[in-house]
Amino acid sequence: PQQSSLGPRSSAGGSSCSRRTPGVPGIGLSRWSRRWRAAGRERAEKLHREKWAGCTIEPPTVKWPADKGYACFLSHYKAEAGSDARYLRDLLQRMLGCPVFLDSSDLTDLRALFTDGVHRSDVLVLLATKQLLTRPWCFLELWEAVKKQIPIVIMAVRGKGWDIDEACALLQNIESELPARNPGALEELFRVIENTSLPEITKALQEVLRAAEVHAVAWTPHGTDNQVLASALDLADRMAELTSRT
């Protein structure tokens, strides 16, 4: 019988994991699988962008009286919620008629996130995902808001693994947990907080997060237009409550 062009079958009757792709020397199927998955993710992202670009949502609008410059600061972990943050910013700016701060990847001085972003925002919105607090600058943005008594809203991104108990457990055991989950992050924290006690910071953050979780809202970026709009309206309502704009 004619042998498959992919090579011989394994003794168990399945495909040999060491096969090479025809015509492409040196590239195994596992590598192509990774490429296919990456291409799939890129296509899903492209479709989501096109969906949003063609969205016919006409949100209710109101003029948000930004006292400091920005209605809110969107704190997020780019790898888990980068595109979600961009879509939310665009929708909020249309709704509120006011700038929303979203940090740029080309910032040369990350400390400017505090002076030019957090300090000039009426509210800090945490786009809450599983690994958010393992990122040193997300941790520090939250701490900066607490120090400046800026109201905080937790907006859990659906399907991205946020769990308040896990987040507080990370904070409670940060000196052992953080190096395992994000090597180098703890050293970055110490460089910025300098003489401030890390246990005191994490205790304060746990208290703030527990309180904010009671009134947390959810972001459903991949839902229907009505679900997306409802998420943004819930956030705007909560921001108004916290800043006495109701």
Side-chain angles (χ1 to χ4, degrees):
Q2 185 176 3
Q3 192 177 60
S4 167
S5 61
L6 286 177
R9 293 279 182 181
S10 67
S11 58
S15 299
S16 170
C17 63
S18 61
R19 292 178 189 159
R20 301 295 181 184
T21 304
V24 187
I27 298 181
L29 291 180
S30 61
R31 184 170 174 183
W32 277 114
S33 178
R34 290 194 297 271
R35 289 186 178 182
W36 288 330
R37 287 196 295 270
R41 287 192 297 268
E42 290 174 5
R43 184 173 184 276
E45 176 75 9
K46 179 175 181 291
L47 291 174
H48 190 38
R49 287 197 302 268
E50 291 172 350
K51 172 185 181 297
W52 190 261
C55 182
T56 57
I57 289 178
E58 291 294 338
T61 59
V62 62
K63 184 62 179 176
W64 180 276
D67 298 332
K68 304 174 183 178
Y70 297 98
C72 64
F73 181 105
L74 297 181
S75 180
H76 67 291
Y77 175 27
K78 289 183 178 63
E80 291 182 331
S83 60
D84 299 326
R86 292 191 296 274
Y87 304 145
L88 179 60
R89 177 198 58 188
D90 294 345
L91 183 54
L92 285 176
Q93 288 184 155
R94 289 172 60 195
M95 291 173 58
L96 303 177
C98 180
V100 169
F101 191 94
L102 183 66
D103 63 295
S104 168
S105 60
D106 59 2
L107 279 174
T108 56
D109 182 5
L110 288 176
R111 289 177 189 262
L113 287 174
F114 303 154
T115 56
D116 297 342
V118 177
H119 296 179
R120 297 184 58 208
S121 299
D122 293 330
V123 178
L124 180 89
V125 176
L126 284 179
L127 280 178
T129 55
K130 186 175 183 65
Q131 302 294 341
L132 176 73
L133 295 179
T134 68
R135 317 318 295 175
W137 288 96
C138 296
F139 178 104
L140 293 165
E141 289 160 5
L142 176 59
W143 173 233
E144 198 69 19
V146 171
K147 288 194 297 180
K148 295 293 181 179
Q149 298 184 321
I150 295 170
I152 293 163
V153 178
I154 293 176
M155 191 174 208
V157 182
R158 292 192 186 278
K160 296 298 179 70
W162 170 257
D163 183 280
I164 185 62
D165 292 327
E166 288 184 6
C168 287
L170 168 64
L171 291 172
Q172 187 171 355
N173 304 289
I174 195 163
E175 294 195 43
S176 59
E177 290 289 325
L178 189 56
R181 294 174 64 175
N182 185 12
L186 189 63
E187 291 78 8
E188 184 73 16
L189 289 182
F190 281 128
R191 278 195 292 272
V192 177
I193 65 173
E194 296 177 338
N195 297 323
T196 310
S197 167
L198 185 57
E200 290 180 8
I201 293 174
T202 55
K203 181 180 178 182
L205 294 187
Q206 288 178 71
E207 292 173 356
V208 166
L209 289 176
R210 290 285 186 189
E213 182 72 14
V214 175
H215 300 287
V217 296
W219 176 229
T220 312
H222 299 282
T224 64
D225 287 357
N226 286 339
Q227 290 172 326
V228 169
L229 180 56
S231 292
L233 289 172
D234 286 345
L235 174 59
D237 286 345
R238 184 60 185 150
M239 289 168 52
E241 290 171 4
L242 289 172
T243 55
S244 302
R245 286 175 169 83
T246 54

